[in-house]
Structure formats: C-alpha cells, structure tokens
Amino acid sequence: MKRGFQPRCRKCIGLDGTFLKGICKGQLLAAVGKDGNNQMFPIAWAVVGTESKDTWRWFMMILREDLNLGAGSQLVIISDMQKGLISASEEIFPECEHRMCARHILANWSQSWRGMERRKRFWGCARATF
C-alpha cells in the first residue's frame, strides 16, 4: 500500500476512527487516500485500546515515517473531530492543511437542522468550495 500511495495518490489523507463491537474490542484507526481514478485507497489501519491524542500521535508518526511525509508541507488531512486527532496532527504535521469532513459536519448539524432542502443547499455550498 505504501508503494501504491506515493506515486499514484493525491497528498490528501482521510483519518477516522470507529468502535470495534465484535469479539475484539477497542478502536480501529484508519487512513485512506484517493487514487487517480478518484477511488478510495486504503493506506493504513491500526487497532488500539482507546482513541486518544496519544494513539493518534503514534498512528500519525508511523504514517509520517513510512510515507516520507516530513512536516506535511504538501499534505491535506481530512477528518471529523475525533478525540485528540486535530491536536496530534498539528504536532506531527505542523505544515499540513487540515479540513473537516463535510459529511460529518452535515451529520452533526442534522440533529437540529433538518429538511431535504437544507441538505441540498449544504451540499451545493460544499461543492462550490472545491
């Protein structure tokens, strides 16, 4: 995956975490990219006991070293507001650009901001910013 990411993917990494609810408990941390066909490209994943700044820092340090990302000067990280993720990314990749995931923003807003028309307008605005 490392050899596939470097020459073929944009320097944009999506980071997210999720609970594991089966036999294995804990959190799954994942990093994905987008390839030349605009398809998701899995980069790395790890299972950790809990999601925290320390586990995100550890995960991103491995990404930085394995992918030769340095301080992240040409890197964009997209995420939601995971526990400790933003502060860990600022520490590990001080020169990267950080963006919030539009789908997660809409999901958070939908709790008090409902309706199909507003949803359509949100996506119209989100697409216009690209």
Side-chain angles (χ1 to χ4, degrees):
M1 290 186 290
K2 175 171 67 172
R3 287 185 300 225
F5 173 77
Q6 291 171 331
R8 294 178 184 90
C9 292
R10 301 174 193 159
K11 298 300 183 232
C12 180
I13 297 175
L15 296 173
D16 203 1
T18 188
F19 289 101
L20 295 173
K21 298 179 182 177
I23 294 172
C24 289
K25 303 293 185 204
Q27 298 273 325
L28 175 69
L29 306 181
V32 297
K34 286 230 174 179
D35 65 14
N37 291 327
N38 211 25
Q39 301 295 312
M40 287 182 24
F41 186 90
I43 299 169
W45 62 88
V47 176
V48 295
T50 59
E51 186 178 13
S52 67
K53 181 179 177 181
D54 289 337
T55 55
W56 277 115
R57 185 186 309 121
W58 167 80
F59 187 67
M60 285 188 260
M61 284 175 33
I62 292 171
L63 281 176
R64 182 182 65 192
E65 298 304 315
D66 281 353
L67 301 177
N68 299 316
L69 296 172
S73 64
Q74 296 180 354
L75 179 66
V76 175
I77 291 179
I78 299 173
S79 72
D80 64 349
M81 297 176 74
Q82 299 286 340
K83 295 177 184 171
L85 190 149
I86 295 171
S87 58
S89 71
E90 290 171 349
E91 182 181 324
I92 303 302
F93 300 112
E95 297 176 16
C96 87
E97 188 173 333
H98 189 264
R99 295 286 178 239
M100 302 305 288
C101 173
R103 190 184 68 73
H104 284 97
I105 291 170
L106 179 60
N108 291 337
W109 285 359
S110 292
Q111 295 170 6
S112 60
W113 191 64
R114 298 180 188 271
M116 189 53 86
E117 184 60 31
R118 290 183 178 172
R119 182 182 178 113
K120 287 179 186 176
R121 288 184 184 198
F122 173 84
W123 284 112
C125 291
R127 286 185 186 98
T129 61
F130 291 109

